[in-house]
Amino acid sequence: MEAYLLDWVNLLLRWTHVIVAIAWIGSSFYFVWLDNSLRAPVSEELKKMGVGGELWAVHGGGFYNPQKYLGAPPKLPEDLHWFYWESYSTWLSGFGLFSVLYLFNPKVFLIDPSVANISPAVAVIAALAFLAVGWLVYDSLCRLLQNREKLLAVLVVLYVVAASWAACHLFAGRAAFLIIGAMIATIMSANVFFWIIPGQRKVVAAMKAGQPVDPIHGKRGKQRSVHNTYFTLPVLFAMLSNHYNMTYSHPHNWLVLVMIMVAGVLVRQFFILRHKGVVNFAYPAVAIAILAGVAAWIAPASPAKTDAQAAKGVEFGQVQQIVQARCVQCHSAQPTLMPSAPKGLMYDQPDAIKASAQLIYQQVVVQKAMPLGNLTHMTDEERSVIGKWFEAGAK
């Protein structure tokens, strides 16, 4: 029952996380598009009111006319809408999901002894440190270089590259990708919490007090918002990567992560420029080239032709012994490393192994993604035995 309830917690947290992330990213993308699509107003009345840009749009059967003021509007409305709960809810639900899946079971999900033989406590502390230190380093760079945007961008990229390398040399590949994504997502949400919203509150407070509005708050908020929009696609890849073990299981997985994130930034840059009326297909072309290059680079080698006689010599009993020694700790009715069998796959019985022969072959032999983090120390020889058995017909 405990495992069943944990599955429900996992499901509801993941569902919530996706819902609020869609709301946050959607509103973020919309405002970046809106800000880059505004046109100077023609109406003298709007100019006198301080409107610096406006846009006419049609959607859902209605016409909309959003306007942006250069500074503060002449009169502050009572029903001013704030955009921040989408960000906070995304981070809180994501951290809850990360805790349930990874921090509460670090031996299975965070640690890969072949990468770094660390204790569960060290793994948890290090994972949390990546989130905190990531924000502190990024924020310090922004404070020091707030007027040198190009140098700041270069240093932030280099820091993310260094963090990716460090994570992939400390944690299991799957966890490393997710931790880098969580680190960047923490930076994004912290930008909202510590800079964007406080700056907006100071502007509102100054207006209510009849004091002049300091434009620095808008400048800083705009800077952090722009950073967030470039972070978005890399974060989305990192969060989705745990479903695609061909990326995080590569020996140079940190470089795979960095290159795919760079492709995401290039795609985002293309759309940002397009919002401004500049169409430069070089950005998506380079992104596609990077992704194609990565796909070719990490493609699994075609299995060598199996000697027919050797394949026939592999008995199912040998495969069953390997599965009993390396797999049933997770995939059984009473697993010892998991609260319940992942995806309900149980290999305690011979028929269950035979029924999942193709899946086992793909995960164990071709992609070498299982056992997870090779926690049970399956050898290459054992993988070869399973491969020969499958290629001979899995009988």
Side-chain angles (χ1 to χ4, degrees), residues 57-242:
V58 59
H59 178 74
F63 292 89
Y64 297 82
N65 181 215
Q67 300 167 354
K68 180 180 179 179
Y69 288 81
L70 292 173
K75 182 180 179 182
L76 191 66
E78 293 294 331
D79 56 348
L80 185 65
H81 183 78
W82 296 75
F83 289 86
Y84 56 85
W85 281 114
E86 299 90 342
S87 167
Y88 303 163
S89 300
T90 300
W91 190 89
L92 289 171
S93 59
F95 184 76
L97 188 61
F98 179 62
S99 299
V100 169
L101 289 177
Y102 287 82
L103 299 185
F104 289 169
N105 205 356
K107 187 176 180 181
V108 174
F109 288 102
L110 289 179
I111 300 172
D112 181 349
S114 66
V115 174
N117 193 13
I118 57 179
S119 68
V122 169
V124 171
I125 293 172
L128 294 174
F130 265 83
L131 307 189
V133 174
W135 160 248
L136 293 174
V137 171
Y138 162 81
D139 188 56
S140 298
L141 289 173
C142 288
R143 289 171 183 264
L144 292 171
L145 302 169
Q146 58 181 342
N147 295 320
R148 304 180 66 184
E149 194 63 38
K150 290 184 179 180
L151 177 59
L152 173 60
V154 170
L155 292 180
V156 169
V157 169
L158 291 177
Y159 177 69
V160 172
V161 171
S164 300
W165 182 91
C168 289
H169 285 78
L170 184 61
F171 302 103
R174 181 183 183 187
F177 277 36
L178 187 67
I179 287 169
I180 292 301
M183 182 190 81
I184 301 175
T186 298
I187 291 172
M188 294 172 65
S189 196
N191 275 339
V192 177
F193 185 80
F194 289 111
W195 287 99
I196 297 173
I197 295 301
Q200 291 174 348
R201 291 194 186 281
K202 289 177 182 178
V203 169
V204 171
M207 291 180 62
K208 288 183 176 179
Q211 300 173 350
V213 174
D214 190 344
I216 190 63
H217 302 304
K219 181 180 178 181
R220 288 171 178 169
K222 176 68 177 296
Q223 180 196 49
R224 301 300 179 106
S225 293
V226 170
H227 291 180
N228 278 3
T229 200
Y230 282 108
F231 284 146
T232 304
L233 297 188
V235 167
L236 287 176
F237 164 71
M239 295 309 179
L240 294 173
S241 64
N242 62 352

Side-chain angles (χ1 to χ4, degrees), residues 33 48 54 210 246 256 296 335 349:
W33 169 83
K48 290 179 181 179
E54 67 169 338
M246 73 276 195
V256 174
Q349 301 299 322

Side-chain angles (χ1 to χ4, degrees), residues 251-264:
H252 299 291
N253 52 3
W254 70 273
L255 189 54
V256 174
L257 173 61
V258 168
M259 292 177 72
I260 296 179
M261 289 196 297
V262 167

